[in-house]
Amino acid sequence: MGINPDAKPDVLLQYGILGSVYAKYVLGIEKPVVGLLNIGEEESKGSAAVKAAYELLRESSEVNFRGNIEGHDLFSGEMTDVIVCDGFVGNIVLKWQRNFT
């Protein structure tokens, strides 16, 4: 989850890389799948920063990028190993998840 509430696209890419490294070396997931939390699965949706981050993640050889995921996919355990988002959204998700698990 993101740290900065106004993360720029290149920072969101860095979050994806960091999450992938963590998932691989700490959680033991050989090739972690990365998803970008967005308002829809289509690559044309989201804010300008999120759409730009989508392109960076898609073009990166450092992450196994699946694409956009939506809120209903978050805790299904089927979509991704790493979820990328800014700190504002990440804070809300973590607090919501804590209340329902």
Side-chain angles (χ1 to χ4, degrees):
M1 296 292 183
I3 300 166
N4 186 334
D6 293 316
K8 293 181 175 31
D10 61 321
V11 174
L12 291 170
L13 170 61
Q14 292 170 13
Y15 292 165
I17 294 168
L18 287 169
S20 292
V21 169
Y22 180 86
K24 182 174 182 176
Y25 293 103
V26 176
L27 302 178
I29 301 169
E30 183 61 33
K31 191 170 183 180
V33 177
V34 176
L36 179 63
L37 186 57
N38 200 351
I39 59 172
E41 290 185 11
E42 303 87 353
E43 65 183 86
S44 62
K45 289 198 172 180
S47 67
V50 170
K51 288 190 272 188
Y54 182 99
E55 294 301 321
L56 293 174
L57 287 160
R58 182 175 68 176
E59 295 170 3
S60 175
S61 62
E62 298 181 75
V63 295
N64 181 18
F65 185 56
R66 179 212 174 267
N68 288 331
I69 63 168
E70 297 185 63
H72 61 83
D73 298 319
L74 284 175
F75 303 107
S76 69
E78 299 173 10
M79 300 302 288
T80 63
D81 302 304
V82 176
I83 300 168
V84 175
C85 64
D86 64 38
F88 180 83
V89 173
N91 187 286
I92 292 168
V93 168
L94 288 174
K95 288 179 179 177
W96 177 86
Q97 187 266 345
R98 181 179 57 203
N99 291 324
F100 292 97
T101 58

